[in-house]
Amino acid sequence: MNKTNPGVAVVTGASSGIGRVTAKALQNAGFRVFGTSRRAVSKKSDGITMLTCDVTDDASVAKLVDEVLAQAGRIDLLVNNAGMGLLGGAEESSTAQAQALFDVNVFGIIRMINAVLPTMRRQGKGRIVNLSSVQGFIPAPYFALYSSTKHAIEGYSESLDHELRPFGIRVALVEPAYTRTSFEDNLARPDQLLDIYDAARAGMTIVVRKAMEEGDTPEVVASTVLAAATDPTPKRRYAAGKTARQVSLLRRFVPASAFDKSLRKQLGLPI
Ligand SMILES: NC(=O)c1ccc[n+]([C@@H]2O[C@H](COP(=O)([O-])OP(=O)(O)OC[C@H]3O[C@@H](n4cnc5c(N)ncnc54)[C@H](OP(=O)(O)O)[C@@H]3O)[C@@H](O)[C@H]2O)c1
């Protein structure tokens, strides 16, 4: 595999949003791309082979990897993009709902990685790019569960990158800010609503809607994933777009108390 033929890529959640645009960007860069969706029947769409996969299901993940290997014989890049959000007070979700979210956003990534690693180790080469979020380093109120899934993959990815380097495999994180996709439409609603949070939840929904309308395009994130996938010496973290880069810098250099005040002010919360 070389610059003109960078190899075989698998992108989870390639049916919409960031995943769909990323799959196309990788294909334009020369990758042979397999995209996944829970609903896909095996078919080629715009040059990308779409395969069915539910990342919460071990058998479905194993079947996907077998299918890619049967068709392409190798996997050079895995982009763990499939994910979903949940907006509400932390105590408004049952433990079962929290587990279901972790099953997609965290264990889905772990399942996919464990399934491709034997192939990447055999090849002596591989790259894994995990979609985190600015919420992977800035926990936002009413996103406690979503934010904890992204913090979990930040820690997991960093540990893993240390472990896999001897095998020629690198792991990188991409951290987008608000991005214009169906993410907000697909946000899960808490399963044990408490009316004391009604006003805050409604207010936060408006803030998120506006931020998403004004957010980055998925192309901005896709080009960042492409950089993370192809940099000869990958960085551990790639903030995607100007806003993500700015808040990443602010988080590191602004004193915690000032950062806390500014976040609450922006979200219209009492200081
Ligand atoms: N949009 C943002 O503002 C934003 C910001 C930061 C980070 N992110 C992250 O970026 C990633 C992509 O989000 P997006 O904004 O593009 O959202 P999206 O448009 O809602 O797309 C989500 C994708 O995930 C797939 N998916 C969901 N559950 C799945 C499961 N159990 N198994 C397999 N695939 C599943 C969906 O595919 P099917 O429904 O076809 O199966 C869909 O293709 C997520 O990890 C998200 O956390 C998004």
Side-chain angles (χ1 to χ4, degrees):
M1 302 301 126
N2 51 43
K3 213 168 179 187
T4 47
N5 178 14
V8 176
V10 176
V11 181
T12 65
S15 60
S16 66
I18 293 168
R20 191 168 59 80
V21 180
T22 295
K24 195 68 205 155
L26 292 170
Q27 195 218 9
N28 288 341
F31 282 93
R32 177 172 177 190
V33 182
F34 292 84
T36 81
S37 160
R38 285 164 297 178
R39 286 160 306 201
V41 281
S42 277
K43 63 169 192 257
K44 213 153 186 157
S45 158
D46 206 10
I48 289 148
T49 306
M50 289 298 293
L51 298 171
T52 313
C53 181
D54 182 339
V55 298
T56 66
D57 180 341
D58 286 340
S60 174
V61 167
K63 190 163 170 271
L64 166 76
V65 172
D66 285 350
E67 184 63 42
V68 174
L69 291 176
Q71 290 194 37
R74 57 186 296 123
I75 298 174
D76 299 280
L77 169 69
L78 168 64
V79 180
N80 281 307
N81 164 78
M84 60 181 295
L86 193 165
L87 192 165
E91 62 172 314
E92 292 191 291
S93 287
S94 65
T95 310
Q97 184 172 41
Q99 284 173 331
L101 187 72
F102 270 76
D103 211 13
V104 180
N105 289 7
V106 180
F107 297 111
I109 289 181
I110 295 173
R111 261 184 211 100
M112 285 297 307
I113 290 176
N114 286 347
V116 303
L117 277 184
T119 301
M120 288 186 173
R121 273 191 282 102
R122 211 165 32 246
Q123 293 167 179
K125 174 182 171 287
R127 183 74 54 92
I128 296 168
V129 179
N130 293 331
L131 261 291
S132 178
S133 164
V134 294
Q135 294 223 34
F137 57 88
I138 304 172
Y142 310 105
F143 274 109
L145 294 175
Y146 176 70
S147 181
S148 23
T149 64
K150 295 301 185 185
H151 276 67
I153 66 156
E154 290 263 338
Y156 170 73
S157 303
E158 191 162 336
S159 294
L160 194 64
D161 182 54
H162 285 298
E163 294 177 22
L164 296 180
R165 248 180 267 182
F167 306 114
I169 304 166
R170 297 299 307 262
V171 183
L173 288 152
V174 168
E175 302 168 323
Y178 290 112
T179 310
R180 278 176 259 153
T181 68
S182 315
F183 183 77
E184 194 219 334
D185 299 332
N186 295 334
L187 280 174
R189 193 175 154 79
D191 63 353
Q192 45 188 37
L193 292 168
L194 297 172
D195 53 14
I196 48 160
Y197 291 112
D198 283 350
R201 207 185 319 100
M204 193 65 185
T205 304
I206 293 167
V207 169
V208 171
R209 186 161 304 147
K210 186 162 180 291
M212 293 210 60
E213 280 165 11
E214 294 167 357
D216 290 316
T217 62
E219 282 76 7
V220 167
V221 185
S223 68
T224 310
V225 174
L226 182 60
T230 54
D231 274 356
T233 315
K235 294 188 287 182
R236 189 163 282 141
R237 292 181 168 75
Y238 291 77
K242 196 170 155 210
T243 307
R245 280 196 297 277
Q246 276 171 351
V247 291
S248 171
L249 277 175
L250 290 172
R251 178 65 167 177
R252 270 179 280 160
F253 299 115
V254 171
S257 60
F259 193 92
D260 178 281
K261 275 201 191 88
S262 150
L263 181 73
R264 292 187 68 82
K265 196 171 159 203
Q266 262 184 42
L267 298 176
L269 300 172
I271 296 184

Coordinates of all heavy atoms in Angstrom, one line a residue, residues 13-19 36-39 53-56 81-84 104 131-133 146 150 176-179 181-183 186 212, ligand 1:
G13 N -21.0 3.4 10.4 CA -22.0 4.5 10.4 C -21.8 5.4 9.2 O -21.9 6.6 9.3
A14 N -21.7 4.7 8.0 CA -21.4 5.5 6.8 C -22.7 5.8 6.0 O -22.7 6.3 4.9 CB -20.5 4.7 5.9
S15 N -23.9 5.6 6.7 CA -25.1 5.9 6.0 C -25.5 7.3 6.0 O -26.3 7.8 5.2 CB -26.3 5.1 6.6 OG -26.4 5.5 8.0
S16 N -24.9 8.1 6.9 CA -25.3 9.5 7.0 C -24.2 10.4 7.6 O -23.2 9.8 8.0 CB -26.6 9.7 7.8 OG -26.3 9.3 9.1
G17 N -24.4 11.7 7.6 CA -23.6 12.6 8.4 C -22.1 12.5 8.1 O -21.6 12.3 7.0
I18 N -21.3 12.5 9.2 CA -19.9 12.5 9.1 C -19.4 11.3 8.4 O -18.4 11.3 7.6 CB -19.3 12.7 10.5 CG1 -19.6 14.1 11.1 CG2 -17.8 12.4 10.5 CD1 -19.3 14.2 12.6
G19 N -20.0 10.1 8.8 CA -19.5 8.8 8.2 C -19.6 8.8 6.7 O -18.7 8.3 6.0
T36 N -20.6 1.0 6.6 CA -21.6 0.2 7.3 C -22.8 1.0 7.7 O -22.7 2.2 7.9 CB -21.1 -0.5 8.5 OG1 -21.1 0.4 9.6 CG2 -19.7 -1.1 8.3
S37 N -23.9 0.3 7.8 CA -25.2 0.8 8.3 C -25.9 -0.4 8.9 O -25.7 -1.5 8.4 CB -26.0 1.5 7.2 OG -27.3 1.6 7.6
R38 N -26.7 -0.1 9.9 CA -27.5 -1.2 10.4 C -28.5 -1.7 9.4 O -29.0 -2.8 9.4 CB -28.3 -0.8 11.7 CG -27.4 -0.8 12.9 CD -28.0 0.0 14.0 NE -28.3 1.4 13.7 CZ -28.9 2.3 14.5 NH1 -29.3 1.9 15.7 NH2 -29.1 3.5 14.1
R39 N -28.9 -0.8 8.5 CA -30.0 -1.1 7.5 C -29.5 -1.5 6.1 O -30.3 -1.9 5.3 CB -30.9 0.1 7.3 CG -31.8 0.3 8.5 CD -32.3 1.8 8.5 NE -31.1 2.7 8.4 CZ -31.2 3.9 8.8 NH1 -32.3 4.5 9.2 NH2 -30.1 4.7 8.7
C53 N -24.1 -3.7 9.4 CA -23.4 -4.0 10.7 C -24.1 -3.2 11.8 O -24.3 -2.0 11.7 CB -21.9 -3.6 10.6 SG -21.1 -4.0 12.2
D54 N -24.3 -3.9 12.9 CA -24.8 -3.3 14.1 C -23.6 -3.4 15.1 O -23.3 -4.6 15.5 CB -26.0 -4.0 14.7 CG -26.5 -3.3 15.9 OD1 -25.8 -2.6 16.6 OD2 -27.7 -3.5 16.3
V55 N -23.0 -2.3 15.5 CA -21.8 -2.4 16.3 C -22.1 -2.9 17.7 O -21.1 -3.2 18.5 CB -21.0 -1.1 16.3 CG1 -20.5 -0.7 14.9 CG2 -21.8 0.0 17.0
T56 N -23.3 -3.0 18.1 CA -23.7 -3.6 19.4 C -23.8 -5.1 19.4 O -24.1 -5.7 20.5 CB -25.0 -3.0 20.0 OG1 -26.1 -3.4 19.1 CG2 -25.0 -1.5 20.0
N81 N -16.8 5.5 13.5 CA -17.6 6.7 13.5 C -19.0 6.5 14.1 O -19.6 7.4 14.6 CB -17.7 7.2 12.0 CG -18.8 8.2 11.8 OD1 -18.7 9.4 12.2 ND2 -20.0 7.8 11.3
A82 N -19.6 5.3 14.0 CA -21.0 5.1 14.4 C -21.1 5.5 15.8 O -20.3 5.2 16.7 CB -21.3 3.6 14.3
G83 N -22.2 6.3 16.1 CA -22.4 6.8 17.4 C -23.7 7.5 17.6 O -24.3 7.8 16.5
M84 N -24.1 7.7 18.8 CA -25.4 8.5 19.0 C -25.3 9.3 20.2 O -24.4 9.1 21.1 CB -26.6 7.5 19.0 CG -26.5 6.5 20.1 SD -28.0 5.4 20.0 CE -29.3 6.6 20.4
V104 N -23.2 1.3 22.1 CA -22.9 1.8 20.8 C -21.6 2.6 20.8 O -20.6 2.3 20.1 CB -24.0 2.8 20.3 CG1 -23.7 3.3 18.9 CG2 -25.4 2.1 20.3
L131 N -13.9 8.4 16.4 CA -14.6 9.7 16.4 C -14.9 10.0 17.9 O -15.8 9.3 18.5 CB -15.9 9.6 15.6 CG -15.8 10.3 14.2 CD1 -15.6 11.8 14.2 CD2 -14.6 9.7 13.4
S132 N -14.2 11.0 18.4 CA -14.6 11.5 19.8 C -15.4 12.7 19.6 O -16.3 12.8 18.7 CB -13.3 11.7 20.6 OG -13.6 12.2 21.8
S133 N -15.2 13.7 20.4 CA -16.0 15.0 20.3 C -15.2 16.0 21.2 O -14.4 15.6 22.0 CB -17.4 14.7 20.9 OG -18.0 15.9 21.2
Y146 N -23.5 11.0 27.4 CA -22.8 11.1 26.1 C -21.3 11.5 26.3 O -20.4 10.9 25.8 CB -23.5 12.1 25.2 CG -22.8 12.4 23.9 CD1 -22.8 11.4 22.9 CD2 -22.1 13.6 23.6 CE1 -22.1 11.6 21.6 CE2 -21.5 13.8 22.4 CZ -21.5 12.8 21.4 OH -20.9 13.0 20.2
K150 N -17.6 9.6 25.4 CA -16.5 10.1 24.6 C -15.2 10.2 25.5 O -14.1 10.0 25.0 CB -16.9 11.5 24.1 CG -18.0 11.5 23.1 CD -17.7 10.6 21.9 CE -18.7 10.6 20.8 NZ -18.4 9.6 19.7
P176 N -14.6 16.5 16.8 CA -15.4 17.6 16.2 C -16.1 18.4 17.2 O -16.4 17.9 18.3 CB -16.4 16.8 15.3 CG -16.0 15.4 15.4 CD -15.2 15.2 16.6
A177 N -16.4 19.7 16.8 CA -17.4 20.5 17.6 C -18.7 20.2 16.9 O -18.9 19.2 16.2 CB -17.0 21.9 17.5
Y178 N -19.7 21.1 17.2 CA -21.0 20.8 16.6 C -20.9 20.8 15.0 O -20.2 21.6 14.4 CB -22.0 22.0 16.9 CG -22.4 22.0 18.4 CD1 -22.0 23.0 19.2 CD2 -23.2 20.9 18.8 CE1 -22.4 23.0 20.6 CE2 -23.6 20.9 20.2 CZ -23.2 21.9 21.0 OH -23.6 21.9 22.3
T179 N -21.5 19.8 14.5 CA -21.4 19.5 13.0 C -22.8 19.3 12.4 O -23.6 18.6 13.1 CB -20.5 18.3 12.8 OG1 -19.3 18.4 13.5 CG2 -20.1 18.1 11.3
T181 N -25.3 17.6 10.9 CA -25.7 16.2 10.5 C -27.1 15.9 11.1 O -27.7 16.8 11.7 CB -24.7 15.2 11.0 OG1 -24.9 15.1 12.5 CG2 -23.3 15.5 10.7
S182 N -27.5 14.7 11.0 CA -28.8 14.3 11.7 C -28.6 13.9 13.1 O -29.5 13.4 13.8 CB -29.3 13.0 11.0 OG -29.2 13.1 9.6
F183 N -27.4 14.2 13.7 CA -27.1 13.9 15.1 C -28.2 14.3 16.1 O -28.6 13.6 16.9 CB -25.7 14.5 15.4 CG -25.2 14.2 16.8 CD1 -24.7 12.9 17.1 CD2 -25.3 15.1 17.9 CE1 -24.2 12.6 18.3 CE2 -24.8 14.8 19.1 CZ -24.3 13.5 19.4
N186 N -31.3 12.4 15.8 CA -31.2 11.1 16.3 C -30.8 11.0 17.8 O -30.6 9.9 18.4 CB -30.0 10.4 15.6 CG -30.4 10.2 14.1 OD1 -31.6 10.1 13.8 ND2 -29.4 10.1 13.2
M212 N -25.9 23.6 16.2 CA -25.7 22.7 15.0 C -26.0 23.4 13.7 O -25.3 23.1 12.7 CB -26.6 21.5 15.2 CG -26.2 20.7 16.4 SD -26.5 18.9 16.3 CE -25.6 18.4 14.9
Ligands
LIG1 N1 -22.8 16.0 14.7 C1 -22.1 16.5 15.7 O1 -22.3 17.6 16.1 C2 -21.0 15.6 16.3 C3 -20.0 16.3 17.1 C4 -19.0 15.6 17.7 C5 -18.9 14.2 17.5 N2 -19.8 13.6 16.7 C6 -19.7 12.1 16.5 O2 -19.6 11.8 15.1 C7 -20.1 10.5 14.9 C8 -21.1 10.6 13.7 O3 -22.2 11.3 14.1 P1 -23.1 12.1 13.0 O4 -23.1 13.5 13.5 O5 -22.6 11.9 11.6 O6 -24.5 11.5 13.3 P2 -25.6 10.8 12.4 O7 -25.8 11.5 11.2 O8 -26.7 10.5 13.4 O9 -24.9 9.4 12.0 C9 -24.7 8.3 13.0 C10 -24.3 7.1 12.2 O10 -24.1 6.1 13.2 C11 -24.7 4.9 12.8 N3 -25.2 4.1 14.0 C12 -25.9 4.4 15.0 N4 -26.1 3.4 15.9 C13 -25.4 2.4 15.3 C14 -25.2 1.0 15.7 N5 -25.7 0.5 16.8 N6 -24.5 0.2 14.9 C15 -23.9 0.7 13.7 N7 -24.1 1.9 13.3 C16 -24.8 2.8 14.1 C17 -25.9 5.3 11.9 O11 -26.1 4.3 11.0 P3 -27.5 3.5 10.7 O12 -28.6 4.3 11.5 O13 -27.7 3.5 9.2 O14 -27.2 2.2 11.3 C18 -25.4 6.6 11.3 O15 -24.7 6.3 10.1 C19 -20.7 10.0 16.2 O16 -19.7 9.2 16.9 C20 -20.8 11.3 17.0 O17 -20.8 11.1 18.4 C21 -20.8 14.3 16.1

